[in-house]
């Protein structure tokens, strides 16, 4: 596998608890480089577009409300096999199922308030990165 980029969000439950630095430390310790980062207040339209794949799911409204409830930190991460490497360090969606040492095991509050997002494929990583960053904002 080659060096690959992925898209990350540090979610409102984590920014509310002042955990941006602690989460970044786990990311960097796992060998991923933070090559772009910005703190934003997501709009309802941005959250609905970003999670569009889930719009028919029963939790969609709650998810959009949560993602717009406080600032988030959007990031581009880069590393060897970056998409899968970040999914590994994030841990399972439900923190109750997440492995020891993962971000969600360490910090997540619930399946909804689960501290971080990470792309699930290289294709989606490209789409998600382009939603929040222009090429000149990413310095690898
Ligand atoms: P992941 O974030 O691990 O990729 P996902 O893409 O299946 O998980 O879902 C996106 C987010 O939606 C997830 O991080 C939290 C929320 N979510 C998923 N399943 C949920 C559920 N059963 N109840 C409440 N929120 C849920
Ligand atoms: Mg997902």
């Amino acid at each position: 596998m080659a060096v690959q980029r992925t898209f990350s969000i540090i979610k409102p439950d984590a920014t509310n608890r002042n955990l941006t630095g602690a989460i970044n430390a786990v990311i960097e310790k796992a060998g991923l480089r933070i090559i772009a980062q910005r703190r934003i207040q997501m709009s309802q339209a941005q959250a609905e577009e970003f999670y569009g794949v889930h719009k028919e799911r029963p939790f969609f409204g709650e998810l959009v409300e949560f993602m717009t409830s406080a600032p988030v930190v959007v990031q581009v991460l880069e590393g060897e096999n970056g998409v899968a490497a970040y999914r590994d360090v994030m841990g399972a969606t439900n923190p109750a199922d997440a492995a020891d040492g993962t971000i969600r095991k360490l910090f997540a509050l619930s399946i909804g308030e689960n501290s971080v997002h990470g792309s699930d494929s290289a294709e989606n990583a490209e789409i998600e990165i382009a939603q929040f960053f222009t090429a000149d904002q990413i310095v690898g």
Side-chain angles (χ1 to χ4, degrees):
M1 238 301 168
V3 170
Q4 187 184 54
R5 291 178 178 184
T6 192
F7 179 72
S8 164
I9 304 177
I10 300 177
K11 295 184 179 182
D13 68 282
T15 62
N16 276 336
R17 289 176 290 148
N18 220 14
L19 291 172
T20 299
I23 289 173
N24 279 348
V26 178
I27 289 170
E28 291 186 329
K29 197 160 184 209
L32 290 158
R33 307 181 74 81
I34 302 163
I35 61 170
Q37 176 169 262
R38 192 167 77 250
R39 182 171 158 106
I40 62 167
Q41 171 62 54
M42 237 192 231
S43 68
Q44 170 134 349
Q46 274 177 313
E48 286 175 352
E49 181 189 346
F50 182 75
Y51 277 122
V53 66
H54 295 305
K55 66 174 176 294
E56 306 304 334
R57 309 279 289 276
F59 57 82
F60 182 68
E62 190 184 311
L63 178 58
V64 169
E65 194 180 329
F66 169 60
M67 292 301 289
T68 57
S69 67
V72 300
V73 177
V74 290
Q75 305 176 306
V76 182
L77 310 181
E78 185 175 80
E80 190 66 27
N81 203 8
V83 170
Y86 190 44
R87 293 296 306 195
D88 281 351
V89 76
M90 284 165 59
T93 306
N94 186 344
D97 301 327
D100 284 349
T102 61
I103 293 169
R104 284 167 166 171
K105 178 72 170 196
L106 287 166
F107 302 118
L109 300 174
S110 66
I111 191 168
E113 296 188 307
N114 62 5
S115 303
V116 284
H117 164 85
S119 307
D120 61 9
S121 69
E123 295 74 15
N124 284 336
E126 252 184 70
I127 293 166
E128 292 172 1
I129 289 168
Q131 195 188 334
F132 294 95
F133 293 99
T134 55
D136 65 298
Q137 293 171 333
I138 304 167
V139 184

